[in-house]
Amino acid sequence: MERQWRGKFPVNRRKPAVEVGSGVRKSYREVIDVSWGDPHRAGVKPLSFVRQVLAACLYPELMDGDKLMVDVKQRAQRLLGTCAGGSVGSYCATAGIPQILQSISQYIMRRDGGVPCHPENIYISPGSQWALTNILKVLVNSEASPRTGVLIPVPCHSTTIISLTTLGAVAVPYYLREERGWALEMEELQRALDSAKGVCNPVALYMINPGNPAGYVQSRKSIQEVIRFAAEKKLFLLADEVYQDCVYGKESEFVSYKRALAEIGAPLSDSVELASFHTASKGLMGECGLRTGYVELVNLDPAVMKHINNLFSTNSCPILGQIALDVMVNPPQPGDPSYPLYLKVRHFYLPASLAQNVRRVEEVINSFPDFSCQPLEGGAFAFPRVFLPPKAIERAKEAGLQPDTFYCLRLLEEAGVLFSPGTEYGQKEGTYHIRFCIMTPTDTMEEILRRLSAFHEQFMKEFS
């Protein structure tokens, strides 16, 4: 059950750039690294309003001049007023700055159509993964026999698997149906649960919506089926919703697990335990380096909430990250001086660029008979399947590598493009995939696809 997670991409991510600069002859001038979900690394510019507010909070003297918009100054002054001593260098409450928690609570209520949200159920954290790991600490009993199990999707980003295994839990995989657009089927959830009998005691169900690495978006119907399944099997729901702002499928819509739970109504809406995660580090905000996110907890026992409060008190989120969260959940509004530029970049330029990248990725990838890319509906990645020839698979085995790792290493060496192999995320036996971030400038994506196309054609000829 666990062996599929052992492979890790054996590459020094800094080495290629060093080789290019040291005189080694390459057919490319620079390495393009899209193995991370990091838009800024890929060349996407940060949102001006976010950076201006951060700058003003870090160095308040900037507000004395006329280079910053009035609303930037007002936001910075308001946020500094929430900091002890008026400084971003001060400590704050365990859960986060109360006024920012209130802003997050109001944002969630707007997002979910008025479903109540209480600030005391929200914890700001140094990244959504940090929050998830701490919630898992509450759920996982490392001394239990049989061990604690958590149902996780395949494919699934590797950091969650690492967190689970480090805590002594068992990752119980349920496979998404690739040929149906990475659909989640209830029969597969039941199969996964049955497979855990005699191996572990499943206590939680982990969902990623929109998907990472597979770019699916769950429908409201699918989410409510999952909630009913979790209620019947008494599973704690873990909803990773960090790409909720990245939905571009024409028929797709993001619906939060909390909203879907509320719409089902009592008794489930009052009893199903849920933790939902969001962050300013992912999606169109893209402030990965600030490492900030939050978790909202629903229907948890007060004694459990007290324990969680103790866990989160060990490492509160830096104030700069909390400021970025405040801007994310409460952006410039019509009438604000910064609104026209924010609207142009956040709601037109970035979504349009992403939509163009999606269209081109699907078009180019699916033009090859030995590639298959399911429709990209949301998230930050493409995760196409590559049908590798037997000779390439054999060569990979001779080198002691997984076949898709072998493919990615050759792509890096010969074309200067760094992808991640599907083996890092889990995949059905005998299938191979590559993952790459699609949140890049459009010209960068065109160059990536040009290099990939040229490389792939030569690679398939070599091993045909």
Side-chain angles (χ1 to χ4, degrees):
M1 186 178 296
E2 295 174 314
R3 56 190 170 87
Q4 64 209 42
W5 306 109
R6 291 178 183 170
K8 196 66 181 171
F9 195 21
V11 58
N12 183 338
R13 296 181 188 273
R14 297 184 62 183
K15 186 177 179 182
V18 174
E19 287 186 344
V20 171
S22 61
V24 178
R25 295 182 65 85
K26 300 287 183 182
S27 61
Y28 47 88
R29 295 180 62 86
E30 61 182 1
V31 171
I32 304 175
D33 183 355
V34 282
S35 63
W36 303 68
D38 185 345
H40 296 174
R41 172 189 290 262
V44 175
K45 301 300 182 185
L47 294 171
S48 299
F49 185 77
V50 178
R51 291 303 179 87
Q52 288 170 356
V53 171
L54 288 170
C57 288
L58 273 169
Y59 190 60
E61 284 81 354
L62 289 174
M63 292 185 280
D64 295 338
D66 57 2
K67 291 186 177 181
L68 297 177
M69 295 283 194
V70 172
D71 56 335
V72 171
K73 296 178 182 180
Q74 291 173 341
R75 177 68 65 90
Q77 289 166 347
R78 177 177 68 78
L79 289 168
L80 285 173
T82 68
C83 301
S87 171
V88 296
S90 59
Y91 285 124
C92 70
T94 295
I97 296 173
Q99 292 87 340
I100 295 179
L101 289 168
Q102 183 67 39
S103 293
I104 295 171
S105 173
Q106 293 169 352
Y107 159 80
I108 293 172
M109 288 182 65
R110 292 194 302 270
R111 182 198 68 186
D112 292 342
V115 176
C117 178
H118 305 290
E120 59 268 26
N121 293 333
I122 300 170
Y123 284 84
I124 298 175
S125 64
S128 59
Q129 192 62 42
W130 186 92
L132 173 60
T133 299
N134 275 278
I135 299 302
L136 287 172
K137 288 179 181 177
V138 177
L139 296 171
V140 174
N141 183 349
S142 59
E143 299 178 355
S145 180
R147 290 192 291 165
T148 303
V150 176
L151 275 67
I152 54 99
V154 176
C156 175
H157 52 82
S158 56
T159 48
T160 299
I161 309 305
I162 294 170
S163 295
L164 279 172
T165 53
T166 300
L167 292 171
V170 176
V172 182
Y174 60 89
Y175 291 84
L176 304 176
R177 187 83 172 272
E178 180 172 5
E179 59 272 23
R180 290 191 54 214
W182 300 105
L184 170 59
E185 298 176 337
M186 292 302 102
E187 296 82 3
E188 174 59 14
L189 277 181
Q190 185 62 56
R191 183 211 60 78
L193 195 62
D194 292 341
S195 74
K197 292 178 180 177
V199 178
C200 63
N201 175 35
V203 300
L205 171 56
Y206 176 61
M207 314 296 301
I208 311 174
N209 181 48
N212 174 14
Y216 58 86
V217 176
Q218 276 187 280
S219 67
R220 177 183 265 99
K221 178 184 176 183
S222 172
I223 293 170
Q224 292 186 342
E225 287 176 344
V226 171
I227 291 171
R228 290 188 173 95
F229 179 87
E232 179 186 348
K233 308 301 180 182
K234 295 181 171 54
L235 298 172
F236 190 109
L237 273 175
L238 301 162
D240 186 332
E241 299 174 326
V242 301
Y243 287 110
Q244 59 188 259
D245 296 327
C246 296
V247 176
Y248 31 81
K250 291 182 179 180
E251 305 299 323
S252 301
E253 175 192 12
F254 173 76
V255 177
S256 74
Y257 266 78
K258 182 186 177 186
R259 179 170 188 165
L261 177 60
E263 290 174 350
I264 290 175
L268 268 59
S269 60
D270 300 323
S271 58
V272 173
E273 295 176 307
L274 167 69
S276 61
F277 305 88
H278 194 18
T279 179
S281 300
K282 305 296 184 183
L284 297 179
M285 188 80 165
E287 293 288 356
C288 299
L290 292 179
R291 307 303 300 164
T292 182
Y294 69 81
V295 56
E296 182 188 12
L297 303 167
V298 179
N299 293 329
L300 269 65
D301 184 273
V304 176
M305 290 292 289
K306 183 177 180 180
H307 181 59
I308 288 173
N309 186 76
N310 292 336
L311 278 176
F312 275 70
S313 67
T314 62
N315 194 359
S316 60
C317 178
I319 287 179
L320 283 181
Q322 297 188 52
I323 290 171
L325 268 182
D326 184 86
V327 175
M328 181 185 78
V329 302
N330 190 19
Q333 298 299 308
D336 293 343
S338 298
Y339 182 73
L341 178 60
Y342 180 85
L343 179 69
K344 179 180 177 180
V345 176
R346 172 63 178 79
H347 292 280
F348 291 103
Y349 173 71
L350 288 177
S353 298
L354 187 54
Q356 181 176 335
N357 285 351
V358 167
R359 180 180 59 81
R360 290 291 293 144
V361 166
E362 292 179 344
E363 183 180 273
V364 173
I365 293 290
N366 287 325
S367 70
F368 289 98
D370 26 51
F371 261 126
S372 174
C373 185
Q374 296 299 313
L376 300 173
E377 299 177 342
F381 302 96
F383 193 66
R385 180 177 177 181
V386 55
F387 296 86
L388 296 173
K391 288 183 180 179
I393 295 172
E394 185 60 32
R395 181 71 63 83
K397 291 180 179 178
E398 291 173 0
L401 298 171
Q402 291 292 329
D404 44 13
T405 301
F406 176 70
Y407 181 91
C408 287
L409 283 172
R410 286 287 299 269
L411 174 65
L412 173 61
E413 293 166 358
E414 297 174 25
V417 177
L418 182 54
F419 287 178
S420 297
T423 190
E424 286 193 7
Y425 309 98
Q427 53 197 349
K428 281 190 175 181
E429 189 77 24
T431 68
Y432 309 107
H433 298 79
I434 55 175
R435 187 194 85 154
F436 58 97
C437 180
I438 57 175
M439 296 187 70
T440 71
T442 53
D443 57 344
T444 301
M445 183 53 64
E446 288 298 329
E447 176 63 14
I448 290 168
L449 294 173
R450 185 193 68 77
R451 294 192 196 184
L452 174 63
S453 298
F455 163 79
H456 185 73
E457 186 174 351
Q458 290 299 317
F459 183 89
M460 299 307 285
K461 283 182 180 179
E462 178 183 347
F463 292 104
S464 61

